[in-house]
Amino acid sequence: MRFGILGSVEILSAQGEPLPLGGPRQRALLALLLLDAGRVVTVERLLDGLYGDDPPSGATSALQSQVSRLRRSLPEGMLEFHPGGYRIAADPQAVDVHQFERLAKQGARALASGDPAAAAATLTEALSLWRGPVTADEAATARLEELKLATTEDLFDAQLKLGEHTAIIPEIRAAIERHPLRERLRGQLMLALQAAGRQAEALAEFENARRTLVEELGTDPSAELSAIHMAILKGEHRQTSNVPAQLTSFVGRATELSRIAGLLTATRLVTITGPGGAGKTRLAIEIAAQQARETCFIDLAALTHGADIPQAVLTALGVRDAGLFTSSTQDPVNRVVAALEDRHVLLIMDNCEHVVAGAATLTRRLLNACPDLRILATSREALGITGEHLCPLPSLPAKAAIQLFADRAAAVSPDFRLTDDNADAVRQICAALDGMPLAIELAAARLRAMAIDDIAERLHDRFSLLSRGDRTAAPRHRTLRAAVEWSWDLLEPDERLLAARLTVFTGGATLSAAEQVCQVPATAELLAGLVDKSLVENAGGRYRMLDTIRAFCAEHRADSLEAVHAKYFYDLAEQANPHLRRAEQLEWLSRLDADHGNLLAALRWAVANDTTLALRMFGAFSLYWYLRGLRGQAAPLAVQLLDRIGTHPPEDLDEEYVLCVLQAAWGRLGAPEWQDHLKHAEEFMTSPRGALRRPHSVFLWASATGPPKGEPVRPLLDQDLWAESFTMLGAALLHLFDGEIADGEEKLRRALAGFRQLGDRFGMVLALDAIAGMADSRGDRQAFVDAVTEAMEVVSQLGSIDDTTSLLCRRAENLARYGELDAARADFDQALTLARRNGTLDHLAWAYSGLGEIARLRGDLAEARRLQKLALSKCSTGPYGIREYQARALIALAHLAELDGDLTAARSRYDEAITSAMAGRSLPFVARAAAGLASLALRAGDGWLAALLLGAGAAIRGMPLAGDPEIARITAEVKALTGANEFTEAFERGAGMPQEEALTLVGARRSALGA
């Protein structure tokens, strides 16, 4: 068990779950006891902490009462009574405040002993324990806040010693804003600014500090702060360096700066690796600017042989050749050793990749011979020697990439500003260029002659577009092509062959996929070499090229591998399908997610070149698309394929044809063509053509077309537990649609048990959603919450946006029904966001309708009407449109018309709602409309008819609709009008009707009311 008072008071179980606590007094009492955990706290101390110097009368009795309540919240025996006071029997190190004090002292000792890395780690851990303002009495709070500030200052000192000057400047400034009179903070800021090469700012900061101290305290700066000022004036903190000065701002890479600074403190050789144009050189220069030690920069790009490196180092160090009368036969390597063996130097060896063997040999010799030497290398591949620490340079994060483009664009086009109008184009450019700094800078430079939208549109030919750069830059950095070509030229022939063939993949590949599709001997070894040379990235066992490198390598691919690629991913999907219905569902979904780009690319090729394979792919991919809510992504390809094959697929692929038709429903298909395909699909699914081979075919067909209206669907080839559970679920839903509640619920639970046994989360969600709907109708809120909560947990594992949206809307309706309107609105707003992102119109309709109901409940009838009409406009009306969404909005509009007193419009809306609900076989919504008609009868003064319609609604639904305040209001008003006995007689007569008779009554009375 753990306790926290550095923020809100909390108790966490051994599993990390929060335990319930009482009100503010109990929390304050617990905080006071925890400040002295394990020790007796006197009654006087507790009263003083709770009430201050003037406790009210009866305070002691109140304290005893609070102690009793607190004792019930804690494990038995933890809160002890003693003659002098009370004691909480907790280990102090289980309390965050005591952990903080221990770590703060430990960090301060490490700093004093000269170990800034350990100090920084410990102090960071200490400060991370603070979650907010401390909960304690005034004296304890002041003491802890002072200790927190001193710990923060210790951390700044440690970070300064680690060379993290640039990264912490904003943090120190923020601390000074909160504590402007802390001279230690002022001195730390001055040192950080000076170390970052910003001497003028450091001196100005001293003047700011002096002025503040005089105005606030009437005193001059301390001797310590004045000494820092004098040292900066004398330039005592400046570093000796031949590092080239930079003319542009440095953007991003804060994480890499911090990591490398830490590595150079603890280790002696760090190599920055990455593809050409990733910014390795610039990062090394920024590291040099942070160093307190002497630095020496050597650019190896112009060298042609590794044997020339020692002389380049001598030249950079300023070591001249021997004079006329002195022997000049000394080995250059020995001369480099002699020049460095007694010096504290950081040697930066830039661009090692083309002379990597020579660079590695010299580095090993120097590190062995010069104990105080540190080496920072940049290379497109590692040096490969013992003790080397690698810092791979990834793409710039999106935010940093956009900032880099904006900075460089403003330099060539002074009027350029990042605005809402150009932000999308900038984002598109940076993403297309993989966040590669060189490519982004070259693109920004094109703003001299081109509009930003033109640049974005021409990135498909990026090598031609980005063909002009800085004339003074090294040749390999003047154009994007030159940057990539430099790496390509360093590859062996077999590496080039594999690099070219890898471009057939979209989004990367596993080793197995690369071996089977590329068909290059020794693929594993060659891939390792491409990774080492920064042409390929290896992340989590997947090999991927940056798009820029992929585009270059694709130009060198001479053979066509698309057919092999397509067949491989078709086979992968077929292998996955059985697993997508079992416990290993998540694992296989993740595997297919990783290859989502490859699946679409393979399908796109097959649609254009091999329609038979394309049809097979629709069969193999369709369950994955459904489970992930990705049905719309392949819809345009389904439309294209249907256009090519017509309505007569190969005899053995009728099932795949049906799945392709279902996919096309999400795309743009002309109405006549669509009706033709739908007719043939229905014929294939219902005619006796043999058993279905794919279990998910029946499921997807039923999900799209709704309950069967005529011929039964063809049976499945294999009747396994999944098929049985799905069949049971379908039967359960049909029972519920038809108002046969008991049979429906019994089958629902059997289906849920089967899906649980299999581990099929999606089947569980479908069953739990239906169970939640039944509990909601019955007014059993706890059962509803349990079912929806479990369903949402399972859906979060699947990552299905559609199903998350549906569950949010269902939960929001329940919250609104119980008056929790703010929480309901939050759920509907989130559902609206997800539905927009996924383009699901029916869910947009549900969310808008729900928000409309909240507006009505808050009295804003105009806004409610607007939202309901918006909901109605979003309802899909095609062959797969789900009619209950229309019925929901129409019933809400009828209610609004009734509130306006327009009973004719209300009757018309209820009529439309019943027609729509009946078309979708959704009897629950017919029952809701029946309740609405009862309200109209009530307004007309016909209490008997109103009660009869309420009963008929129960007969149609198969159960009374409980827990709905609107129906409860109507029922109460009808009883008041008719009297209890007459109401009961009329209601029971309606509820006892056969369903068909009840439906006829609703239809007949609807017509009568309209007469």
Side-chain angles (χ1 to χ4, degrees), residues 100-169:
F100 167 70
E101 291 182 278
R102 175 179 60 80
L103 291 168
K105 291 176 184 177
Q106 183 179 325
R109 285 195 297 270
L111 183 63
S113 65
D115 189 352
T122 304
L123 295 169
T124 299
E125 182 183 356
L127 291 168
S128 70
L129 295 171
W130 284 73
R131 295 169 287 108
V134 68
T135 304
D137 62 302
E138 186 175 338
T141 298
R143 180 183 68 82
L144 289 171
E145 291 288 353
E146 173 59 27
L147 179 56
K148 178 186 178 185
L149 182 54
T151 303
T152 302
E153 290 171 332
D154 285 346
L155 177 58
F156 287 151
D157 273 348
Q159 291 170 318
L160 284 168
K161 292 179 184 298
L162 290 172
E164 299 174 11
H165 316 102
T166 303
I168 65 170
I169 287 173

Side-chain angles (χ1 to χ4, degrees), residues 779-802:
D780 187 346
R781 199 174 190 202
Q782 188 58 56
F784 171 84
V785 170
D786 290 345
V788 165
T789 300
E790 183 181 358
M792 294 193 81
E793 289 174 355
V794 176
V795 161
S796 69
Q797 298 172 23
L798 287 171
S800 171
I801 294 177
D802 277 352

Side-chain angles (χ1 to χ4, degrees), residues 517-593:
V517 175
C518 295
Q519 300 176 8
V520 177
T523 294
E525 291 76 9
L526 293 173
L527 270 176
L530 292 174
V531 171
D532 289 342
K533 294 175 181 178
S534 302
L535 267 294
V536 172
E537 297 175 343
N538 179 7
R542 290 188 63 83
Y543 296 88
R544 173 184 175 272
M545 286 178 164
L546 296 179
D547 286 345
T548 297
I549 293 173
R550 182 170 175 263
F552 179 90
C553 294
E555 294 177 357
H556 295 76
R557 179 152 65 92
D559 35 22
S560 175
L561 296 173
E562 280 75 12
V564 180
H565 174 270
K567 180 64 166 58
Y568 175 86
F569 285 103
Y570 162 70
D571 290 341
L572 177 67
E574 289 287 23
Q575 181 186 358
N577 266 295
H579 302 285
L580 294 179
R581 301 188 301 273
R582 298 201 289 259
E584 58 270 31
Q585 187 177 58
L586 296 181
E587 174 192 345
W588 279 88
L589 283 172
S590 295
R591 289 181 66 173
L592 294 178
D593 286 344

Side-chain angles (χ1 to χ4, degrees), residues 429-451:
I429 290 168
C430 294
L433 295 176
D434 307 300
M436 184 183 291
L438 174 63
I440 291 169
E441 291 181 335
L442 291 172
R446 297 296 284 168
L447 281 173
R448 293 189 189 101
M450 297 176 67

Side-chain angles (χ1 to χ4, degrees), residues 192-200 289:
L193 289 168
Q194 171 68 358
R198 296 153 65 178
Q199 184 184 26

